[in-house]
Amino acid sequence: MRINTLLTVPTGFDGFGSVPGIATGRVFVNRRALSEAGVHRPLQAGICGTKKLGAESIVVSGGYEDDLDHGNVIVYTGQGGRDADTGQQVGDQTLTRGNAALATSMATGIPVRVVRGSQGDPQHSPTTGYRYDGLFRVEDFWRETGQSSFAIWRYRLAKIASEETVSEGPTLQEPVGRETPTRLEATIQRIVRSTKVANFVKRVHDFTCQVCGTRLATPTSAYAEAAHIRALGQPHNGPDLAGNVLCLCPNHHTLFDFGMLSIADDLTITDRATGAGLGRLREADGHRIDQAHLAYHREHHSQGWKHAQDGGLGDEGGTGTKE
């Protein structure tokens, strides 16, 4: 295990993806060494990034009571609402600064560097210093009540199998691609969704979106997407049953997953961006939606959605910074 304190940020590195010359598993003696190497720039905060571009990196170091570290999957707590002296959560978190940056990372799909500190879960953390543990992708984010009864933002990050992917950041310049994309053999674990359940829901609605009524025709059939109301993965652990699935067009599937559509128990739909009503969710004979899953989605995905109009980095000091 190599500890390095003398590295400097490579010239031309935009801050996103793998840092050139830094291998997964490299250990740094302190936060300043991390910063000088460009692995995690803030000296205090645990999230580095902006709402506009997304998060560059995070530190998992046991500072927040609601963090869960499963190794290749991390359920990460956002920043804010914590007492600087005691470390206890004493207020609600908002979807601003670093929290907004991680939400943007889910939208862009650009990976986030993960650093673990020695104060984190002993099973997955270094015994000393800070260890760079590779690239993770933000797969989900939601709002819930934490252990101390305050609203927190949580993020599910999953490790990317190969760091050959995405070293580019959110640039507007056309990137250099590949004439012949490379292929990589890898072993992964994933949730096995029931194709029969998804096909049943889509067929019973004749591949018509339950929100907007759009039916997308293709040369051979119609196209729709099966959207789980309560997600199947940890920590939501929703069931793969027809009562937990909606038939949606791609646009409304995306908006629903991001919490921008809220569906009430009477099936009326609200656009969270404008507050406008979008009518009532379309129903079909033989498909009954479980209202408990709708309530779960409203509580975890359809509250506190609005990003604040800030453009600052999540590495500002003061009370409530992550870590």
Side-chain angles (χ1 to χ4, degrees), residues 193-205:
R193 291 167 170 80
S194 172
T195 303
K196 290 183 178 180
V197 169
N199 284 342
F200 165 78
V201 172
K202 289 187 284 188
R203 289 179 182 279
V204 80
H205 288 278

Side-chain angles (χ1 to χ4, degrees), residues 29 48 58 63 73 79 88 126 135 162 195 208 239 261-262 271 301:
V29 68
C48 178
I58 64 171
V73 173
Q79 66 182 182
Q88 290 296 114
L135 297 180
S162 171
T195 303
T208 301
L261 298 179
S262 178
D271 180 344
H301 297 281

Side-chain angles (χ1 to χ4, degrees), residues 303-314:
Q303 299 186 43
W305 59 269
K306 189 174 182 180
H307 294 190
Q309 298 302 312
D310 71 279
L313 287 173

Side-chain angles (χ1 to χ4, degrees), residues 69-74 116 124 136 157-159:
D69 192 344
H70 302 293
N72 288 339
V73 173
I74 298 169
R116 286 183 170 96
H124 303 293
F136 283 63
L157 294 97
K159 188 172 178 63

Side-chain angles (χ1 to χ4, degrees), residues 34-299:
L34 278 174
S35 179
E36 291 175 352
V39 177
H40 185 75
R41 295 189 291 116
L43 295 178
Q44 180 182 8
I47 303 173
C48 178
T50 65
K51 179 188 70 174
K52 181 178 180 179
L53 298 180
E56 299 176 15
S57 57
I58 64 171
V59 172
V60 184
S61 192
Y64 277 66
E65 61 192 13
D66 294 288
D67 283 353
L68 296 173
D69 192 344
H70 302 293
N72 288 339
V73 173
I74 298 169
V75 180
Y76 189 72
T77 309
Q79 66 182 182
R82 202 173 65 129
D83 186 279
D85 296 322
T86 66
Q88 290 296 114
Q89 198 72 25
V90 294
D92 293 339
Q93 295 180 349
T94 58
L95 197 56
T96 58
R97 302 174 64 205
N99 297 343
L102 282 170
T104 298
S105 293
M106 176 179 164
T108 63
I110 296 175
V112 178
R113 292 188 301 278
V114 167
V115 175
R116 286 183 170 96
S118 59
Q119 300 302 309
D121 186 327
Q123 184 177 355
H124 303 293
S125 303
T127 56
T128 184
Y130 294 86
R131 186 183 66 222
Y132 169 55
D133 278 350
L135 297 180
F136 283 63
R137 205 178 301 279
V138 181
E139 294 189 336
D140 192 11
F141 75 98
W142 64 95
R143 187 174 185 258
E144 67 178 47
T145 301
Q147 295 182 30
S148 296
S149 300
F150 293 100
I152 59 173
W153 285 96
R154 307 190 80 190
Y155 304 83
R156 185 181 190 274
L157 294 97
K159 188 172 178 63
I160 297 174
S162 171
E163 290 194 23
E164 185 180 355
T165 60
V166 188
S167 59
E168 306 91 350
T171 177
L172 293 180
Q173 296 179 346
E174 182 176 348
V176 177
R178 295 186 178 95
E179 288 287 346
T180 305
T182 58
R183 298 179 184 273
L184 177 70
E185 184 174 327
T187 301
I188 62 172
Q189 288 187 332
R190 64 180 180 87
I191 296 171
V192 180
R193 291 167 170 80
S194 172
T195 303
K196 290 183 178 180
V197 169
N199 284 342
F200 165 78
V201 172
K202 289 187 284 188
R203 289 179 182 279
V204 80
H205 288 278
D206 192 28
F207 296 86
T208 301
C209 178
Q210 290 182 256
V211 172
C212 64
T214 298
R215 187 177 189 272
L216 299 174
T218 75
T220 57
S221 62
Y223 177 81
E225 296 182 354
H228 285 85
I229 303 170
R230 179 169 180 162
L232 303 187
Q234 293 179 330
H236 307 296
N237 298 319
D240 196 14
L241 301 174
N244 188 37
V245 177
L246 298 175
C247 178
L248 300 178
C249 67
N251 284 354
H252 284 118
H253 187 178
T254 300
L255 291 174
F256 184 73
D257 283 352
F258 274 91
M260 301 306 290
L261 298 179
S262 178
I263 304 175
D265 285 342
D266 63 0
L267 302 187
T268 55
I269 309 166
T270 300
D271 180 344
R272 300 295 295 179
T274 64
L278 300 180
R280 194 170 183 274
L281 193 75
R282 290 164 171 78
E283 297 181 273
D285 291 339
H287 180 216
R288 187 171 183 272
I289 297 169
D290 191 327
Q291 291 188 350
H293 301 315
L294 292 177
Y296 184 93
H297 185 272
R298 290 195 301 271
E299 179 182 356

